[in-house]
Amino acid sequence: MPNIPLHIAVIGSGAIGGTVAAWLAQSPAHRVTLCVRTPLNDLQVDTPGGRITARPQVLTDPAQATPVDWVLTTTKTYDTAGAARWIDALAGPATRVAVLQNGVEHRDRFPAVSADRLVPVIVDIPAERDAPGRIRQRRTGTLTVADDAAGRAFAALFAATPITTVLTDDFATAAWAKLAINCAGAVNALTLLPAGIAQDPAVAGVMRALVAECLAVGRAEGANLPDTLPDDVVAGTVAGPADGINSIHADRAAGRPTEADARNGVIARLGARHGIATPLNAMAAALLATRAP
Ligand SMILES: NC(=O)c1ccc[n+]([C@@H]2O[C@H](COP(=O)([O-])OP(=O)(O)OC[C@H]3O[C@@H](n4cnc5c(N)ncnc54)[C@H](OP(=O)(O)O)[C@@H]3O)[C@@H](O)[C@H]2O)c1
């Protein structure tokens, strides 16, 4: 008897959802369903190794969904409520749910999914969407998950793709280290200036201070972070392209909502729980939550 393909539903067809859905659909071992807000016909992803295409089943309403083996949710953090409606329809008793998002609150965002079935994923795949279904994947990239049964099962989905999956025995540290980079990116969203502003000593000082708050709160949350983290984040930014635009800067410049709560607000919220002062991250979250009238 032929093997039944694993049914994988990907919520969101943006840069990350479109990229992972297209790669997963290359394998006959997978049946991929895209759960979208904006309809599309097919996926074309320009990857570092050339263009790949896919024509997965596309659903536009959770009422059309039935339980699947895997759900991969890839909306921005501020669209969690919409993603949760899809998960309610897609998740049966054995469904695993992977959350491919920034931040350290992958589990908190989806309290209805039981802990042993939820896989938090740290995404390091630079990609952008030019039009519905049209995506540029700039680097092969990595997906980092905990080295547990659910994390290993998630990694196996990508075994036949070039995307590297990293299994870590300290997911909290990996997630907080990524958050340290992301929280410093607030300076770009606030000034609407690209990465090169990190060369300004005063701006670099603000970035270090943002990261120092993240470091203190992350340690209180159990992450094992080095004292050098603030300097490391600035040095990493200065070493990259001066015209680089991070996603929160791009969102702010385009007048879209931003992930400031997941990148800065979380540091202030968790800091308050531990009695750690986080005035810079609180300020960044408050200012970036404002929208033009
Ligand atoms: N892109 C990167 O390079 C990158 C790198 C590292 C981490 N990340 C993280 O990965 C996550 C996803 O980012 P992204 O860049 O892929 O964002 P994105 O390009 O904005 O894509 C988000 C997708 O979610 C869809 N969506 C929102 N609400 C929905 C709903 N109710 N039902 C179905 N789909 C819905 C959007 O629909 P529409 O098509 O209607 O807009 C869009 O297709 C974020 O947390 C981001 O920070 C991204």
Side-chain angles (χ1 to χ4, degrees):
M1 210 170 76
N3 286 335
I4 300 171
L6 269 182
H7 193 176
I8 305 168
V10 177
I11 304 172
S13 54
I16 299 304
T19 299
V20 298
W23 275 116
L24 291 171
Q26 304 303 303
S27 166
H30 300 150
R31 173 183 161 206
V32 175
T33 295
L34 261 188
C35 302
V36 306
R37 184 171 62 181
T38 304
L40 55 93
N41 294 323
D42 59 358
L43 292 170
Q44 281 182 16
V45 183
D46 289 321
T47 81
R51 177 171 293 181
I52 61 168
T53 61
R55 194 176 274 277
Q57 178 192 32
V58 175
L59 304 182
T60 54
D61 185 338
Q64 303 164 318
T66 52
V68 297
D69 298 305
W70 273 95
V71 176
L72 275 53
T73 187
T74 71
T75 70
K76 287 272 174 63
T77 53
Y78 50 77
D79 282 326
T80 292
R85 282 192 289 279
W86 279 107
I87 293 172
D88 286 346
L90 291 161
T95 305
R96 282 185 162 135
V97 178
V99 180
L100 286 74
Q101 285 181 330
N102 269 336
V104 293
E105 297 171 299
H106 304 71
R107 292 187 182 281
D108 309 83
R109 282 187 214 113
F110 298 98
V113 182
S114 69
D116 59 327
R117 289 191 291 118
L118 190 142
V119 184
V121 185
I122 301 166
V123 180
D124 183 14
I125 302 175
E128 67 230 23
R129 173 178 52 173
D130 298 325
R134 301 293 176 266
I135 292 153
R136 268 181 292 165
Q137 181 189 1
R138 293 197 177 273
R139 192 158 41 76
T140 304
T142 59
L143 297 170
T144 300
V145 291
D147 188 5
D148 56 21
R152 286 190 289 274
F154 174 84
L157 298 177
F158 290 86
T161 79
I163 294 172
T164 303
T165 46
V166 176
L167 298 171
T168 173
D169 57 10
D170 189 351
F171 186 85
T173 294
W176 279 91
K178 172 97 192 274
L179 186 65
I181 299 167
N182 282 341
C183 79
V187 299
N188 308 99
L190 287 166
T191 60
L192 296 178
L193 290 169
I197 55 158
Q199 287 161 12
D200 179 321
V203 175
V206 174
M207 292 173 71
R208 282 193 192 90
L210 284 160
V211 178
E213 292 178 3
C214 178
L215 172 63
V217 179
R219 281 179 174 164
E221 287 282 307
N224 184 14
L225 301 167
D227 290 340
T228 55
L229 196 56
D231 288 335
D232 297 345
V233 169
V234 171
T237 309
V238 169
D243 59 355
I245 291 184
N246 64 33
S247 69
I248 194 164
H249 175 181
D251 282 342
R252 180 77 166 168
R256 295 186 291 258
T258 74
E259 292 189 307
D261 183 68
R263 298 166 65 124
N264 300 100
V266 61
I267 294 168
R269 282 186 275 110
L270 295 178
R273 230 187 256 172
H274 294 286
I276 297 169
T278 58
L280 286 183
N281 280 281
M283 182 187 69
L287 296 184
L288 291 171
T290 61
R291 308 279 298 275

